[in-house]
Amino acid sequence: MTSRIGVITFPGTLDDRDTQRAVRVAGAEPVPLWHRDKDLKQVDAVVLPGGFSYGDYLRAGAISRFSPVMETVIAQAKAGMPVLGICNGFQVLTETHLLPGAMLRNNHLHFICRDQKLRVENAETSWTADYSSGQEISIPLKNIDGRYVADERTLDMLEAEGRVAFRYLDGNPNGSLRDIAGITNEAGNVVGLMPHPEHAVEPLIGTGRTDGLGFFTSILKKLVNV
């Protein structure tokens, strides 16, 4: 039976189709989910894709956090359902407090778009198991509100518990504290990151590499083995 991975669309979402394609390339069935519908259509996992939901009014992800679908996502994530937040999706996950910390405007105050090298710090989450700890990958990055911040106590906790999932290499693109590019919750089923793995799943697009495909094959293997 094919695993079903839901991809949520909010007003202003840009990368839902690319994410659906990445899910399909990995061998799972993408299931489009509308933000006003609480029904997750019996999916096995959920992806919150990138974009500018609600135009990033108030602050990025702040309004999307109150969309009806998020009530169900929050409950299911706390019950163990795998959830991946990419860029704007990561911002939404911090707003829901499924992940700690917050995302602020880039320290240079400019939108940035480039291929970004990352180091995989935690290869034991539902979304990173196809990587190895310490592995270096390159996937596209595009954001203006990508600066990850948290208080020192939270940062120390993330470090001590191995919950920093990815770190920026070859220069910090947005001023994120401790070069953090992505984090995970304590259980490892919820992961958020700013770069876009869905844009690096086929050699003819994005970086010309497939370094992002591991996110989607990881979750597929996780679901098959459950």
Side-chain angles (χ1 to χ4, degrees):
M1 185 175 179
T2 303
S3 297
R4 292 161 50 85
I5 300 179
V7 179
I8 299 175
T9 299
F10 300 95
T13 295
L14 301 179
D15 299 306
D16 44 348
R17 297 294 182 89
D18 297 69
T19 304
Q20 290 173 31
R21 181 171 180 81
V23 169
R24 192 176 296 111
V25 169
E29 177 187 352
V31 179
L33 300 174
W34 182 236
H35 76 114
R36 297 193 65 178
D37 189 353
K38 290 185 179 182
D39 182 10
L40 296 184
K41 301 181 181 179
Q42 296 181 313
V43 298
D44 303 299
V46 168
V47 181
L48 282 66
F52 300 91
S53 60
Y54 289 95
D56 280 349
Y57 293 130
L58 300 182
R59 61 182 178 271
I63 300 177
S64 296
R65 177 260 178 274
F66 294 100
S67 288
V69 71
M70 290 308 300
E71 180 180 334
T72 311
V73 170
I74 292 168
Q76 291 297 310
K78 290 180 177 179
M81 173 180 279
V83 177
L84 174 66
I86 302 170
C87 196
N88 190 233
F90 184 13
Q91 295 159 348
V92 174
L93 290 178
T94 62
E95 291 289 337
T96 63
H97 304 297
L98 285 173
L99 293 176
M103 311 303 303
L104 299 181
R105 185 62 49 99
N106 295 345
N107 61 343
H108 46 72
L109 304 181
H110 295 289
F111 182 86
I112 188 169
C113 183
R114 73 184 195 193
D115 293 343
Q116 177 65 48
K117 184 179 286 188
L118 306 174
R119 182 172 62 241
V120 180
E121 301 283 16
N122 185 333
E124 298 180 2
T125 78
S126 298
W127 299 93
T128 60
D130 256 3
Y131 297 105
S132 57
S133 181
Q135 182 177 348
E136 296 182 6
I137 62 175
S138 180
I139 59 179
L141 173 77
K142 50 178 187 176
N143 64 71
I144 192 168
D145 295 300
R147 178 161 57 108
Y148 180 76
V149 299
D151 61 75
E152 286 298 311
R153 181 178 179 180
T154 298
L155 292 170
D156 290 343
M157 175 195 69
L158 291 173
E159 301 276 13
E161 296 179 359
R163 290 171 55 187
V164 175
F166 299 93
R167 238 182 271 271
Y168 294 116
L169 294 179
D170 295 346
N172 188 319
N174 45 38
S176 290
L177 297 180
R178 304 194 188 183
D179 298 329
I180 291 174
I183 61 175
T184 180
N185 68 341
E186 187 175 3
N189 63 302
V190 179
V191 171
L193 78 161
M194 286 309 296
H196 288 258
E198 78 279 12
H199 295 325
V201 298
E202 295 177 293
L204 295 180
I205 59 173
T207 60
R209 300 160 56 131
T210 59
D211 290 6
L213 187 59
F215 284 81
F216 305 98
T217 56
S218 292
I219 189 58
L220 186 57
K221 290 179 181 178
K222 166 71 175 178
L223 294 172
V224 169
N225 292 328
V226 169

